[in-house]
Amino acid sequence: MIIYPTPPGGKRGGYVVPIENDCWIVTLVGWQRDYPPNNEQGFLDYAKSLPVPNLYEAIKDAEPVTPIVTYKFPASQRRHYEQMSRFPEGLMILGDAACSFNPIYGQGMTTAALEASTLNDCLCQRLRNAGEGNPIRLTQHCQRAIAKVVKVPWLLATSEDFHYPETIGKRPKGMRLLNWYIGKVHALVGSYPLATLRFYEVLHMLKPPMTLFEPGILFAVFFKRRFMLHSHELDMNPHHSLQRHHVRVLERLKH
C-alpha cells in the first residue's frame, strides 16, 4: 500500500493498493463531508487537488476497469460492554458490534482478528483453570481483555479525526499535543525512511503507537532541518529513496 498522507487539518487524501490481475485499487478520501466525486473527470480533478501530487501523477494516464463506488461513513463508535456490572454469561461481543472504525484507516479487520485471538486465549485459559479446579467467569474476563485490544486502534482513529475542530466527541487530555506531534511525523513520512517504516508498522498494528516516539523520530521531529542535512540514510532524491523503501516495507509485511 502506498499512502499519500494528508497534512494535519487537510480534508483530502488517498492511497493506492496493488490487487489481483496486475491491477491497483485507488481510493480518494474526504473528511467532514468533503466527498470525492463518483465520475471519472471529477475523480481525477479531486486527485489533482491533493496536497501531494504523486497520486494524481500515478493515475492520470491509467485505464479504469470498474465504475467508481462511493461510501460514506458517519462516525466511529465504541461500546463499553466491559464496564457493565451484569452481563449474560457465555455471550461475547467483538468486531464492529464492540467498536466500529472509519474504514479508511484500515483497522477493522485487523482489530477483529486480534479480538478473535484474545478470545482464543481466554478459552484456553478457562480450560486450564477448569482442569486445576479454578474456573473463571469467562465473559467478563474476556470482554475486558477485548477492550484492551480495542484501546490502541481506537486511539489511532480518534486522534486522527480530532485533527478537525468540526469533529464531535469528547477530546481526551493531551490530544492537541499528540495531534501536533503526529502531524510532524506525517510530514517526515514522505522523506525520512525510518519514519515511513514506523508509520507503516503502527498503521498495520505490528507495533504500538509509542514506536513513533523512539529517539530517531523524536530527533527528526524537533531538529528536522539539521537532521536532514546530516542524515546518511536518505537518498539525494527523497522520492527515489521512498519508492525503494515502500517496496521493502511491502515485502516485509508479506512475511
Side-chain angles (χ1 to χ4, degrees):
M1 178 168 64
I2 302 177
I3 298 175
Y4 301 94
T6 302
K11 295 182 179 179
R12 296 184 175 186
Y15 55 82
V16 181
V17 181
I19 56 176
E20 65 275 3
N21 300 323
D22 294 324
C23 293
W24 295 70
I25 183 169
V26 181
T27 302
L28 296 181
V29 187
W31 281 266
Q32 303 295 332
R33 297 181 176 82
D34 183 14
Y35 305 124
N38 61 0
N39 61 81
E40 290 185 17
Q41 187 56 53
F43 193 86
L44 283 174
D45 291 341
Y46 196 94
K48 193 173 184 179
S49 73
L50 299 182
V52 179
N54 305 55
L55 191 148
Y56 172 74
E57 293 296 328
I59 69 171
K60 65 178 182 180
D61 298 319
E63 177 184 354
V65 295
T66 67
I68 298 169
V69 178
T70 59
Y71 178 79
K72 299 176 183 179
F73 184 78
S76 298
Q77 190 172 44
R78 182 181 180 185
R79 297 176 173 88
H80 291 276
Y81 293 105
E82 76 282 358
Q83 295 180 4
M84 295 178 63
S85 59
R86 297 179 61 191
F87 200 82
E89 187 66 23
L91 175 66
M92 291 304 309
I93 300 177
L94 58 161
D96 283 353
C99 185
S100 60
F101 304 95
N102 186 335
I104 200 61
Y105 299 139
Q107 298 171 305
M109 293 178 67
T110 303
T111 302
L114 292 173
E115 290 171 343
S117 178
T118 299
L119 175 59
N120 179 69
D121 293 341
C122 290
L123 290 171
C124 291
Q125 181 183 351
R126 171 151 188 164
L127 287 175
R128 290 193 299 268
N129 289 349
E132 297 169 1
N134 182 28
I136 63 171
R137 297 188 64 184
L138 175 66
T139 297
Q140 289 186 330
H141 173 79
C142 191
Q143 205 69 60
R144 293 190 187 104
I146 287 174
K148 292 180 181 179
V149 171
V150 169
K151 185 177 180 179
V152 169
W154 179 255
L155 174 64
L156 293 173
T158 55
S159 62
E160 185 65 27
D161 287 337
F162 279 136
H163 274 303
Y164 311 104
E166 303 94 332
T167 299
I168 299 173
K170 183 180 179 180
R171 285 168 167 76
K173 294 181 179 179
M175 184 59 67
R176 182 175 298 180
L177 178 61
L178 177 63
N179 283 342
W180 174 85
Y181 181 83
I182 297 302
K184 296 294 184 181
V185 174
H186 279 188
L188 289 171
V189 166
S191 57
Y192 179 34
L194 177 62
T196 309
L197 176 61
R198 295 295 180 255
F199 179 80
Y200 275 120
E201 289 174 331
V202 172
L203 183 69
H204 291 278
M205 289 190 278
L206 299 173
K207 290 192 175 182
M210 287 305 296
T211 302
L212 297 178
F213 293 85
E214 67 179 58
I217 297 179
L218 273 171
F219 191 83
V221 165
F222 290 103
F223 304 99
K224 181 180 178 183
R225 182 177 179 85
R226 188 190 311 171
F227 183 84
M228 292 305 175
L229 287 174
H230 294 88
S231 175
H232 297 293
E233 294 185 283
L234 296 176
D235 191 286
M236 290 300 291
N237 187 328
H239 294 292
H240 292 169
S241 177
L242 183 59
Q243 185 178 37
R244 291 196 299 272
H245 189 67
H246 281 146
V247 173
R248 293 196 298 270
V249 170
L250 289 172
E251 289 300 320
R252 179 173 179 175
L253 292 176
K254 288 178 182 178
H255 301 289

mmCIF file with all atom_site columns, all heavy atoms in Angstrom, residues 205-227:
data_model
loop_
_atom_site.group_PDB
_atom_site.id
_atom_site.type_symbol
_atom_site.label_atom_id
_atom_site.label_alt_id
_atom_site.label_comp_id
_atom_site.label_asym_id
_atom_site.label_entity_id
_atom_site.label_seq_id
_atom_site.pdbx_PDB_ins_code
_atom_site.Cartn_x
_atom_site.Cartn_y
_atom_site.Cartn_z
_atom_site.occupancy
_atom_site.B_iso_or_equiv
_atom_site.pdbx_formal_charge
_atom_site.auth_seq_id
_atom_site.auth_comp_id
_atom_site.auth_asym_id
_atom_site.auth_atom_id
_atom_site.pdbx_PDB_model_num
ATOM 1   N N   . MET A 1 205 ? -0.626 -2.059 12.883 1.00 0.00 ? 205 MET A N   1
ATOM 2   C CA  . MET A 1 205 ? -0.680 -2.602 14.241 1.00 0.00 ? 205 MET A CA  1
ATOM 3   C C   . MET A 1 205 ? 0.326  -3.720 14.471 1.00 0.00 ? 205 MET A C   1
ATOM 4   O O   . MET A 1 205 ? 0.081  -4.677 15.205 1.00 0.00 ? 205 MET A O   1
ATOM 5   C CB  . MET A 1 205 ? -2.106 -3.039 14.591 1.00 0.00 ? 205 MET A CB  1
ATOM 6   C CG  . MET A 1 205 ? -3.026 -1.840 14.768 1.00 0.00 ? 205 MET A CG  1
ATOM 7   S SD  . MET A 1 205 ? -4.648 -2.242 15.455 1.00 0.00 ? 205 MET A SD  1
ATOM 8   C CE  . MET A 1 205 ? -5.494 -2.794 13.983 1.00 0.00 ? 205 MET A CE  1
ATOM 9   N N   . LEU A 1 206 ? 1.468  -3.606 13.802 1.00 0.00 ? 206 LEU A N   1
ATOM 10  C CA  . LEU A 1 206 ? 2.576  -4.520 14.062 1.00 0.00 ? 206 LEU A CA  1
ATOM 11  C C   . LEU A 1 206 ? 3.381  -4.055 15.276 1.00 0.00 ? 206 LEU A C   1
ATOM 12  O O   . LEU A 1 206 ? 4.072  -4.852 15.911 1.00 0.00 ? 206 LEU A O   1
ATOM 13  C CB  . LEU A 1 206 ? 3.488  -4.612 12.839 1.00 0.00 ? 206 LEU A CB  1
ATOM 14  C CG  . LEU A 1 206 ? 2.836  -5.148 11.556 1.00 0.00 ? 206 LEU A CG  1
ATOM 15  C CD1 . LEU A 1 206 ? 3.797  -5.020 10.390 1.00 0.00 ? 206 LEU A CD1 1
ATOM 16  C CD2 . LEU A 1 206 ? 2.408  -6.589 11.751 1.00 0.00 ? 206 LEU A CD2 1
ATOM 17  N N   . LYS A 1 207 ? 3.309  -2.742 15.552 1.00 0.00 ? 207 LYS A N   1
ATOM 18  C CA  . LYS A 1 207 ? 3.993  -2.181 16.714 1.00 0.00 ? 207 LYS A CA  1
ATOM 19  C C   . LYS A 1 207 ? 3.073  -1.166 17.385 1.00 0.00 ? 207 LYS A C   1
ATOM 20  O O   . LYS A 1 207 ? 2.186  -0.609 16.737 1.00 0.00 ? 207 LYS A O   1
ATOM 21  C CB  . LYS A 1 207 ? 5.315  -1.518 16.302 1.00 0.00 ? 207 LYS A CB  1
ATOM 22  C CG  . LYS A 1 207 ? 6.385  -2.512 15.869 1.00 0.00 ? 207 LYS A CG  1
ATOM 23  C CD  . LYS A 1 207 ? 7.751  -1.852 15.764 1.00 0.00 ? 207 LYS A CD  1
ATOM 24  C CE  . LYS A 1 207 ? 8.834  -2.891 15.446 1.00 0.00 ? 207 LYS A CE  1
ATOM 25  N NZ  . LYS A 1 207 ? 10.179 -2.273 15.397 1.00 0.00 ? 207 LYS A NZ  1
ATOM 26  N N   . PRO A 1 208 ? 3.283  -0.899 18.679 1.00 0.00 ? 208 PRO A N   1
ATOM 27  C CA  . PRO A 1 208 ? 2.414  0.054  19.396 1.00 0.00 ? 208 PRO A CA  1
ATOM 28  C C   . PRO A 1 208 ? 2.694  1.490  18.982 1.00 0.00 ? 208 PRO A C   1
ATOM 29  O O   . PRO A 1 208 ? 3.770  1.810  18.447 1.00 0.00 ? 208 PRO A O   1
ATOM 30  C CB  . PRO A 1 208 ? 2.797  -0.183 20.865 1.00 0.00 ? 208 PRO A CB  1
ATOM 31  C CG  . PRO A 1 208 ? 4.199  -0.689 20.810 1.00 0.00 ? 208 PRO A CG  1
ATOM 32  C CD  . PRO A 1 208 ? 4.277  -1.524 19.558 1.00 0.00 ? 208 PRO A CD  1
ATOM 33  N N   . PRO A 1 209 ? 1.738  2.400  19.221 1.00 0.00 ? 209 PRO A N   1
ATOM 34  C CA  . PRO A 1 209 ? 1.920  3.808  18.838 1.00 0.00 ? 209 PRO A CA  1
ATOM 35  C C   . PRO A 1 209 ? 3.160  4.464  19.434 1.00 0.00 ? 209 PRO A C   1
ATOM 36  O O   . PRO A 1 209 ? 3.731  5.383  18.834 1.00 0.00 ? 209 PRO A O   1
ATOM 37  C CB  . PRO A 1 209 ? 0.633  4.476  19.362 1.00 0.00 ? 209 PRO A CB  1
ATOM 38  C CG  . PRO A 1 209 ? -0.380 3.387  19.377 1.00 0.00 ? 209 PRO A CG  1
ATOM 39  C CD  . PRO A 1 209 ? 0.380  2.142  19.741 1.00 0.00 ? 209 PRO A CD  1
ATOM 40  N N   . MET A 1 210 ? 3.600  4.010  20.629 1.00 0.00 ? 210 MET A N   1
ATOM 41  C CA  . MET A 1 210 ? 4.773  4.615  21.248 1.00 0.00 ? 210 MET A CA  1
ATOM 42  C C   . MET A 1 210 ? 6.019  4.451  20.394 1.00 0.00 ? 210 MET A C   1
ATOM 43  O O   . MET A 1 210 ? 7.015  5.145  20.598 1.00 0.00 ? 210 MET A O   1
ATOM 44  C CB  . MET A 1 210 ? 5.009  3.995  22.631 1.00 0.00 ? 210 MET A CB  1
ATOM 45  C CG  . MET A 1 210 ? 4.011  4.449  23.689 1.00 0.00 ? 210 MET A CG  1
ATOM 46  S SD  . MET A 1 210 ? 3.942  6.248  23.863 1.00 0.00 ? 210 MET A SD  1
ATOM 47  C CE  . MET A 1 210 ? 5.601  6.584  24.454 1.00 0.00 ? 210 MET A CE  1
ATOM 48  N N   . THR A 1 211 ? 5.972  3.546  19.408 1.00 0.00 ? 211 THR A N   1
ATOM 49  C CA  . THR A 1 211 ? 7.094  3.386  18.480 1.00 0.00 ? 211 THR A CA  1
ATOM 50  C C   . THR A 1 211 ? 7.397  4.689  17.757 1.00 0.00 ? 211 THR A C   1
ATOM 51  O O   . THR A 1 211 ? 8.550  4.964  17.411 1.00 0.00 ? 211 THR A O   1
ATOM 52  C CB  . THR A 1 211 ? 6.765  2.277  17.454 1.00 0.00 ? 211 THR A CB  1
ATOM 53  O OG1 . THR A 1 211 ? 6.489  1.069  18.161 1.00 0.00 ? 211 THR A OG1 1
ATOM 54  C CG2 . THR A 1 211 ? 7.919  2.052  16.495 1.00 0.00 ? 211 THR A CG2 1
ATOM 55  N N   . LEU A 1 212 ? 6.379  5.505  17.541 1.00 0.00 ? 212 LEU A N   1
ATOM 56  C CA  . LEU A 1 212 ? 6.568  6.773  16.829 1.00 0.00 ? 212 LEU A CA  1
ATOM 57  C C   . LEU A 1 212 ? 7.313  7.807  17.681 1.00 0.00 ? 212 LEU A C   1
ATOM 58  O O   . LEU A 1 212 ? 7.627  8.883  17.172 1.00 0.00 ? 212 LEU A O   1
ATOM 59  C CB  . LEU A 1 212 ? 5.213  7.337  16.394 1.00 0.00 ? 212 LEU A CB  1
ATOM 60  C CG  . LEU A 1 212 ? 4.422  6.478  15.403 1.00 0.00 ? 212 LEU A CG  1
ATOM 61  C CD1 . LEU A 1 212 ? 3.080  7.122  15.096 1.00 0.00 ? 212 LEU A CD1 1
ATOM 62  C CD2 . LEU A 1 212 ? 5.219  6.272  14.115 1.00 0.00 ? 212 LEU A CD2 1
ATOM 63  N N   . PHE A 1 213 ? 7.575  7.450  18.945 1.00 0.00 ? 213 PHE A N   1
ATOM 64  C CA  . PHE A 1 213 ? 8.283  8.372  19.834 1.00 0.00 ? 213 PHE A CA  1
ATOM 65  C C   . PHE A 1 213 ? 9.706  7.897  20.119 1.00 0.00 ? 213 PHE A C   1
ATOM 66  O O   . PHE A 1 213 ? 10.346 8.400  21.033 1.00 0.00 ? 213 PHE A O   1
ATOM 67  C CB  . PHE A 1 213 ? 7.518  8.528  21.159 1.00 0.00 ? 213 PHE A CB  1
ATOM 68  C CG  . PHE A 1 213 ? 6.196  9.228  21.020 1.00 0.00 ? 213 PHE A CG  1
ATOM 69  C CD1 . PHE A 1 213 ? 5.063  8.516  20.668 1.00 0.00 ? 213 PHE A CD1 1
ATOM 70  C CD2 . PHE A 1 213 ? 6.092  10.591 21.223 1.00 0.00 ? 213 PHE A CD2 1
ATOM 71  C CE1 . PHE A 1 213 ? 3.834  9.146  20.535 1.00 0.00 ? 213 PHE A CE1 1
ATOM 72  C CE2 . PHE A 1 213 ? 4.873  11.240 21.096 1.00 0.00 ? 213 PHE A CE2 1
ATOM 73  C CZ  . PHE A 1 213 ? 3.737  10.512 20.743 1.00 0.00 ? 213 PHE A CZ  1
ATOM 74  N N   . GLU A 1 214 ? 10.204 6.947  19.337 1.00 0.00 ? 214 GLU A N   1
ATOM 75  C CA  . GLU A 1 214 ? 11.568 6.477  19.568 1.00 0.00 ? 214 GLU A CA  1
ATOM 76  C C   . GLU A 1 214 ? 12.560 7.591  19.225 1.00 0.00 ? 214 GLU A C   1
ATOM 77  O O   . GLU A 1 214 ? 12.242 8.521  18.470 1.00 0.00 ? 214 GLU A O   1
ATOM 78  C CB  . GLU A 1 214 ? 11.848 5.228  18.746 1.00 0.00 ? 214 GLU A CB  1
ATOM 79  C CG  . GLU A 1 214 ? 11.881 5.423  17.245 1.00 0.00 ? 214 GLU A CG  1
ATOM 80  C CD  . GLU A 1 214 ? 12.193 4.108  16.526 1.00 0.00 ? 214 GLU A CD  1
ATOM 81  O OE1 . GLU A 1 214 ? 11.449 3.116  16.703 1.00 0.00 ? 214 GLU A OE1 1
ATOM 82  O OE2 . GLU A 1 214 ? 13.187 4.092  15.798 1.00 0.00 ? 214 GLU A OE2 1
ATOM 83  N N   . PRO A 1 215 ? 13.775 7.533  19.781 1.00 0.00 ? 215 PRO A N   1
ATOM 84  C CA  . PRO A 1 215 ? 14.721 8.657  19.663 1.00 0.00 ? 215 PRO A CA  1
ATOM 85  C C   . PRO A 1 215 ? 14.979 9.137  18.244 1.00 0.00 ? 215 PRO A C   1
ATOM 86  O O   . PRO A 1 215 ? 15.060 10.338 17.993 1.00 0.00 ? 215 PRO A O   1
ATOM 87  C CB  . PRO A 1 215 ? 15.997 8.092  20.308 1.00 0.00 ? 215 PRO A CB  1
ATOM 88  C CG  . PRO A 1 215 ? 15.504 7.090  21.296 1.00 0.00 ? 215 PRO A CG  1
ATOM 89  C CD  . PRO A 1 215 ? 14.292 6.466  20.672 1.00 0.00 ? 215 PRO A CD  1
ATOM 90  N N   . GLY A 1 216 ? 15.117 8.199  17.282 1.00 0.00 ? 216 GLY A N   1
ATOM 91  C CA  . GLY A 1 216 ? 15.412 8.613  15.913 1.00 0.00 ? 216 GLY A CA  1
ATOM 92  C C   . GLY A 1 216 ? 14.334 9.481  15.312 1.00 0.00 ? 216 GLY A C   1
ATOM 93  O O   . GLY A 1 216 ? 14.620 10.421 14.556 1.00 0.00 ? 216 GLY A O   1
ATOM 94  N N   . ILE A 1 217 ? 13.070 9.214  15.663 1.00 0.00 ? 217 ILE A N   1
ATOM 95  C CA  . ILE A 1 217 ? 11.965 10.013 15.135 1.00 0.00 ? 217 ILE A CA  1
ATOM 96  C C   . ILE A 1 217 ? 11.791 11.295 15.944 1.00 0.00 ? 217 ILE A C   1
ATOM 97  O O   . ILE A 1 217 ? 11.545 12.369 15.384 1.00 0.00 ? 217 ILE A O   1
ATOM 98  C CB  . ILE A 1 217 ? 10.669 9.182  15.115 1.00 0.00 ? 217 ILE A CB  1
ATOM 99  C CG1 . ILE A 1 217 ? 10.835 7.991  14.165 1.00 0.00 ? 217 ILE A CG1 1
ATOM 100 C CG2 . ILE A 1 217 ? 9.484  10.034 14.681 1.00 0.00 ? 217 ILE A CG2 1
ATOM 101 C CD1 . ILE A 1 217 ? 9.633  7.089  14.076 1.00 0.00 ? 217 ILE A CD1 1
ATOM 102 N N   . LEU A 1 218 ? 11.942 11.201 17.258 1.00 0.00 ? 218 LEU A N   1
ATOM 103 C CA  . LEU A 1 218 ? 11.877 12.407 18.089 1.00 0.00 ? 218 LEU A CA  1
ATOM 104 C C   . LEU A 1 218 ? 12.898 13.444 17.642 1.00 0.00 ? 218 LEU A C   1
ATOM 105 O O   . LEU A 1 218 ? 12.592 14.631 17.511 1.00 0.00 ? 218 LEU A O   1
ATOM 106 C CB  . LEU A 1 218 ? 12.133 12.033 19.551 1.00 0.00 ? 218 LEU A CB  1
ATOM 107 C CG  . LEU A 1 218 ? 10.937 11.597 20.404 1.00 0.00 ? 218 LEU A CG  1
ATOM 108 C CD1 . LEU A 1 218 ? 11.418 11.071 21.742 1.00 0.00 ? 218 LEU A CD1 1
ATOM 109 C CD2 . LEU A 1 218 ? 9.974  12.765 20.611 1.00 0.00 ? 218 LEU A CD2 1
ATOM 110 N N   . PHE A 1 219 ? 14.113 12.995 17.395 1.00 0.00 ? 219 PHE A N   1
ATOM 111 C CA  . PHE A 1 219 ? 15.176 13.906 16.983 1.00 0.00 ? 219 PHE A CA  1
ATOM 112 C C   . PHE A 1 219 ? 14.832 14.564 15.647 1.00 0.00 ? 219 PHE A C   1
ATOM 113 O O   . PHE A 1 219 ? 15.036 15.762 15.451 1.00 0.00 ? 219 PHE A O   1
ATOM 114 C CB  . PHE A 1 219 ? 16.499 13.142 16.866 1.00 0.00 ? 219 PHE A CB  1
ATOM 115 C CG  . PHE A 1 219 ? 17.695 14.037 16.695 1.00 0.00 ? 219 PHE A CG  1
ATOM 116 C CD1 . PHE A 1 219 ? 18.303 14.623 17.791 1.00 0.00 ? 219 PHE A CD1 1
ATOM 117 C CD2 . PHE A 1 219 ? 18.203 14.309 15.428 1.00 0.00 ? 219 PHE A CD2 1
ATOM 118 C CE1 . PHE A 1 219 ? 19.406 15.452 17.632 1.00 0.00 ? 219 PHE A CE1 1
ATOM 119 C CE2 . PHE A 1 219 ? 19.298 15.133 15.262 1.00 0.00 ? 219 PHE A CE2 1
ATOM 120 C CZ  . PHE A 1 219 ? 19.906 15.708 16.369 1.00 0.00 ? 219 PHE A CZ  1
ATOM 121 N N   . ALA A 1 220 ? 14.288 13.761 14.729 1.00 0.00 ? 220 ALA A N   1
ATOM 122 C CA  . ALA A 1 220 ? 13.936 14.292 13.414 1.00 0.00 ? 220 ALA A CA  1
ATOM 123 C C   . ALA A 1 220 ? 12.791 15.296 13.506 1.00 0.00 ? 220 ALA A C   1
ATOM 124 O O   . ALA A 1 220 ? 12.756 16.277 12.764 1.00 0.00 ? 220 ALA A O   1
ATOM 125 C CB  . ALA A 1 220 ? 13.555 13.150 12.474 1.00 0.00 ? 220 ALA A CB  1
ATOM 126 N N   . VAL A 1 221 ? 11.848 15.061 14.422 1.00 0.00 ? 221 VAL A N   1
ATOM 127 C CA  . VAL A 1 221 ? 10.725 15.985 14.591 1.00 0.00 ? 221 VAL A CA  1
ATOM 128 C C   . VAL A 1 221 ? 11.193 17.334 15.106 1.00 0.00 ? 221 VAL A C   1
ATOM 129 O O   . VAL A 1 221 ? 10.810 18.388 14.590 1.00 0.00 ? 221 VAL A O   1
ATOM 130 C CB  . VAL A 1 221 ? 9.671  15.377 15.551 1.00 0.00 ? 221 VAL A CB  1
ATOM 131 C CG1 . VAL A 1 221 ? 8.695  16.460 16.028 1.00 0.00 ? 221 VAL A CG1 1
ATOM 132 C CG2 . VAL A 1 221 ? 8.911  14.262 14.859 1.00 0.00 ? 221 VAL A CG2 1
ATOM 133 N N   . PHE A 1 222 ? 12.067 17.334 16.118 1.00 0.00 ? 222 PHE A N   1
ATOM 134 C CA  . PHE A 1 222 ? 12.449 18.583 16.762 1.00 0.00 ? 222 PHE A CA  1
ATOM 135 C C   . PHE A 1 222 ? 13.658 19.264 16.109 1.00 0.00 ? 222 PHE A C   1
ATOM 136 O O   . PHE A 1 222 ? 13.866 20.465 16.294 1.00 0.00 ? 222 PHE A O   1
ATOM 137 C CB  . PHE A 1 222 ? 12.746 18.336 18.244 1.00 0.00 ? 222 PHE A CB  1
ATOM 138 C CG  . PHE A 1 222 ? 11.514 18.013 19.040 1.00 0.00 ? 222 PHE A CG  1
ATOM 139 C CD1 . PHE A 1 222 ? 11.231 16.716 19.423 1.00 0.00 ? 222 PHE A CD1 1
ATOM 140 C CD2 . PHE A 1 222 ? 10.619 19.018 19.379 1.00 0.00 ? 222 PHE A CD2 1
ATOM 141 C CE1 . PHE A 1 222 ? 10.087 16.418 20.146 1.00 0.00 ? 222 PHE A CE1 1
ATOM 142 C CE2 . PHE A 1 222 ? 9.471  18.732 20.108 1.00 0.00 ? 222 PHE A CE2 1
ATOM 143 C CZ  . PHE A 1 222 ? 9.204  17.426 20.489 1.00 0.00 ? 222 PHE A CZ  1
ATOM 144 N N   . PHE A 1 223 ? 14.431 18.499 15.341 1.00 0.00 ? 223 PHE A N   1
ATOM 145 C CA  . PHE A 1 223 ? 15.603 19.087 14.694 1.00 0.00 ? 223 PHE A CA  1
ATOM 146 C C   . PHE A 1 223 ? 15.625 18.685 13.222 1.00 0.00 ? 223 PHE A C   1
ATOM 147 O O   . PHE A 1 223 ? 16.661 18.292 12.691 1.00 0.00 ? 223 PHE A O   1
ATOM 148 C CB  . PHE A 1 223 ? 16.893 18.625 15.387 1.00 0.00 ? 223 PHE A CB  1
ATOM 149 C CG  . PHE A 1 223 ? 16.926 18.922 16.853 1.00 0.00 ? 223 PHE A CG  1
ATOM 150 C CD1 . PHE A 1 223 ? 16.617 17.925 17.772 1.00 0.00 ? 223 PHE A CD1 1
ATOM 151 C CD2 . PHE A 1 223 ? 17.229 20.189 17.326 1.00 0.00 ? 223 PHE A CD2 1
ATOM 152 C CE1 . PHE A 1 223 ? 16.631 18.177 19.133 1.00 0.00 ? 223 PHE A CE1 1
ATOM 153 C CE2 . PHE A 1 223 ? 17.243 20.452 18.688 1.00 0.00 ? 223 PHE A CE2 1
ATOM 154 C CZ  . PHE A 1 223 ? 16.948 19.445 19.595 1.00 0.00 ? 223 PHE A CZ  1
ATOM 155 N N   . LYS A 1 224 ? 14.458 18.787 12.572 1.00 0.00 ? 224 LYS A N   1
ATOM 156 C CA  . LYS A 1 224 ? 14.293 18.249 11.225 1.00 0.00 ? 224 LYS A CA  1
ATOM 157 C C   . LYS A 1 224 ? 15.315 18.809 10.245 1.00 0.00 ? 224 LYS A C   1
ATOM 158 O O   . LYS A 1 224 ? 15.974 18.066 9.532  1.00 0.00 ? 224 LYS A O   1
ATOM 159 C CB  . LYS A 1 224 ? 12.884 18.530 10.714 1.00 0.00 ? 224 LYS A CB  1
ATOM 160 C CG  . LYS A 1 224 ? 12.635 17.971 9.314  1.00 0.00 ? 224 LYS A CG  1
ATOM 161 C CD  . LYS A 1 224 ? 11.221 18.276 8.842  1.00 0.00 ? 224 LYS A CD  1
ATOM 162 C CE  . LYS A 1 224 ? 11.005 17.767 7.432  1.00 0.00 ? 224 LYS A CE  1
ATOM 163 N NZ  . LYS A 1 224 ? 9.664  18.115 6.918  1.00 0.00 ? 224 LYS A NZ  1
ATOM 164 N N   . ARG A 1 225 ? 15.481 20.119 10.209 1.00 0.00 ? 225 ARG A N   1
ATOM 165 C CA  . ARG A 1 225 ? 16.360 20.728 9.209  1.00 0.00 ? 225 ARG A CA  1
ATOM 166 C C   . ARG A 1 225 ? 17.797 20.246 9.382  1.00 0.00 ? 225 ARG A C   1
ATOM 167 O O   . ARG A 1 225 ? 18.436 19.782 8.443  1.00 0.00 ? 225 ARG A O   1
ATOM 168 C CB  . ARG A 1 225 ? 16.308 22.254 9.309  1.00 0.00 ? 225 ARG A CB  1
ATOM 169 C CG  . ARG A 1 225 ? 17.169 22.965 8.266  1.00 0.00 ? 225 ARG A CG  1
ATOM 170 C CD  . ARG A 1 225 ? 17.001 24.470 8.387  1.00 0.00 ? 225 ARG A CD  1
ATOM 171 N NE  . ARG A 1 225 ? 17.839 25.152 7.417  1.00 0.00 ? 225 ARG A NE  1
ATOM 172 C CZ  . ARG A 1 225 ? 17.485 25.383 6.161  1.00 0.00 ? 225 ARG A CZ  1
ATOM 173 N NH1 . ARG A 1 225 ? 16.319 24.959 5.719  1.00 0.00 ? 225 ARG A NH1 1
ATOM 174 N NH2 . ARG A 1 225 ? 18.296 26.009 5.333  1.00 0.00 ? 225 ARG A NH2 1
ATOM 175 N N   . ARG A 1 226 ? 18.302 20.292 10.621 1.00 0.00 ? 226 ARG A N   1
ATOM 176 C CA  . ARG A 1 226 ? 19.671 19.859 10.883 1.00 0.00 ? 226 ARG A CA  1
ATOM 177 C C   . ARG A 1 226 ? 19.825 18.356 10.625 1.00 0.00 ? 226 ARG A C   1
ATOM 178 O O   . ARG A 1 226 ? 20.812 17.896 10.073 1.00 0.00 ? 226 ARG A O   1
ATOM 179 C CB  . ARG A 1 226 ? 20.041 20.178 12.329 1.00 0.00 ? 226 ARG A CB  1
ATOM 180 C CG  . ARG A 1 226 ? 21.511 19.945 12.656 1.00 0.00 ? 226 ARG A CG  1
ATOM 181 C CD  . ARG A 1 226 ? 21.755 20.052 14.147 1.00 0.00 ? 226 ARG A CD  1
ATOM 182 N NE  . ARG A 1 226 ? 21.166 21.253 14.717 1.00 0.00 ? 226 ARG A NE  1
ATOM 183 C CZ  . ARG A 1 226 ? 21.099 21.480 16.018 1.00 0.00 ? 226 ARG A CZ  1
ATOM 184 N NH1 . ARG A 1 226 ? 21.569 20.595 16.876 1.00 0.00 ? 226 ARG A NH1 1
ATOM 185 N NH2 . ARG A 1 226 ? 20.548 22.583 16.470 1.00 0.00 ? 226 ARG A NH2 1
ATOM 186 N N   . PHE A 1 227 ? 18.785 17.609 11.015 1.00 0.00 ? 227 PHE A N   1
ATOM 187 C CA  . PHE A 1 227 ? 18.851 16.157 10.859 1.00 0.00 ? 227 PHE A CA  1
ATOM 188 C C   . PHE A 1 227 ? 18.891 15.780 9.381  1.00 0.00 ? 227 PHE A C   1
ATOM 189 O O   . PHE A 1 227 ? 19.668 14.927 8.966  1.00 0.00 ? 227 PHE A O   1
ATOM 190 C CB  . PHE A 1 227 ? 17.630 15.518 11.523 1.00 0.00 ? 227 PHE A CB  1
ATOM 191 C CG  . PHE A 1 227 ? 17.635 14.024 11.470 1.00 0.00 ? 227 PHE A CG  1
ATOM 192 C CD1 . PHE A 1 227 ? 18.333 13.296 12.418 1.00 0.00 ? 227 PHE A CD1 1
ATOM 193 C CD2 . PHE A 1 227 ? 16.955 13.347 10.480 1.00 0.00 ? 227 PHE A CD2 1
ATOM 194 C CE1 . PHE A 1 227 ? 18.345 11.913 12.385 1.00 0.00 ? 227 PHE A CE1 1
ATOM 195 C CE2 . PHE A 1 227 ? 16.959 11.977 10.441 1.00 0.00 ? 227 PHE A CE2 1
ATOM 196 C CZ  . PHE A 1 227 ? 17.656 11.262 11.389 1.00 0.00 ? 227 PHE A CZ  1
#
